[in-house]
Amino acid sequence: MPKFKVTATMDVGYELILEAPNADTAWQMAKQNDTDWVKADDGHEWTMEDVHPVNEVEMTND
């Protein structure tokens, strides 16, 4: 019987509290900040991405 590899991703939530004069400025500040984000959850929105037959090379690499 053939074997298949199915891949999936799960989004993990992060949040950042900023002081800014308006939402547009806060959005721009957040885009430039890559260190102060805090993990808000351990994962949500499970998405199945792809499925393909597994060949012998993949079987030996897993």
Side-chain angles (χ1 to χ4, degrees):
M1 182 173 302
K3 295 184 179 185
F4 295 87
K5 181 182 281 188
V6 179
T7 57
T9 58
M10 184 183 328
D11 293 337
V12 175
Y14 287 84
E15 60 190 18
L16 176 64
I17 305 298
L18 297 169
E19 195 171 303
N22 56 53
D24 289 337
T25 302
W27 187 264
Q28 291 305 314
M29 291 170 64
K31 287 170 58 175
Q32 296 171 6
N33 186 318
D34 60 355
T35 59
D36 297 324
W37 290 86
V38 176
K39 190 174 180 183
D41 66 46
D42 288 325
H44 61 279
E45 202 165 325
W46 182 262
T47 306
M48 294 180 62
E49 301 288 345
D50 192 23
V51 60
H52 68 271
V54 177
N55 61 40
E56 291 301 316
V57 173
E58 287 179 296
M59 295 286 292
T60 59
N61 290 336
D62 287 343

